[in-house]
Amino acid sequence: MGGRLGRAAGGSYRPGRPGRPGKRLKADPQLRAELELCERYGIPHSRFLGEDGRWSDLDRAKALAWQQWQRSVCPDCRTRLDEWDPATGGHQHAYVTDTVRCPGCELIAQERHQVPEGRAGYGVKITLLPRAAYEALRPEAPAASGR
């Protein structure tokens, strides 16, 4: 992975120097993917890299930089404002839309119409189960072909 966060975008990282970790996150999608996994599993980045796993100053700096990065991401479209802003190195057409139909989401939307309105429908959750798991849970359910 190269210099890790310790060598952020052409310089060396110094704890307490604001802005430095974010530059590395912006430039390094591999580091973003690694820190996302570290967050999910609650481990320091050094452990992910195969070291002893104690939280070092650098691990803490990376975790704080990741938290700051996550706060700058739109929760809906998952982009960041600076990606769109030419003044910050972005581009006004940084992304394009693409339409994809998910059969699972389509099935959930169809089933949602079967949920009663009002109190009878409160708390109803619609989930997807693999067919084999559903049939194992409900052996009386008829096996559907093609659905």
Side-chain angles (χ1 to χ4, degrees):
M1 176 174 117
R4 300 186 189 142
L5 190 63
R7 310 203 113 200
S12 62
Y13 173 73
R14 287 176 257 163
R17 186 171 173 191
R20 213 51 179 160
K23 289 180 185 267
R24 172 71 191 281
L25 284 170
K26 183 176 182 179
D28 191 343
Q30 177 69 30
L31 179 62
R32 291 194 303 270
E34 291 173 3
L35 292 176
E36 184 176 7
L37 281 174
C38 290
E39 178 185 36
R40 174 176 285 162
Y41 294 113
I43 62 172
H45 190 240
S46 60
R47 179 152 187 201
F48 178 83
L49 296 174
E51 297 171 16
D52 71 10
R54 287 179 279 180
W55 283 88
S56 67
D57 288 342
L58 185 55
D59 286 320
R60 286 188 287 279
K62 288 177 184 178
L64 289 169
W66 177 247
Q67 181 183 47
Q68 182 180 356
W69 175 271
Q70 288 298 98
R71 287 180 180 153
S72 71
V73 174
C74 174
D76 294 326
C77 71
R78 307 298 299 156
T79 67
R80 299 175 64 239
L81 290 178
D82 68 342
E83 294 177 291
W84 299 95
D85 185 359
T88 60
H91 190 278
Q92 66 182 6
H93 300 292
Y95 291 85
V96 296
T97 59
D98 188 24
T99 303
V100 177
R101 181 179 301 269
C102 173
C105 292
E106 183 178 3
L107 191 58
I108 288 172
Q110 290 170 0
E111 188 68 23
R112 195 170 287 127
H113 289 291
Q114 303 302 316
V115 176
E117 293 287 325
R119 192 167 197 75
Y122 290 0
V124 173
K125 305 282 188 234
I126 301 168
T127 62
L128 293 176
L129 293 172
R131 178 162 302 282
Y134 177 81
E135 289 172 355
L137 290 170
R138 300 196 173 138
E140 73 284 353
S145 61
R147 215 182 128 148

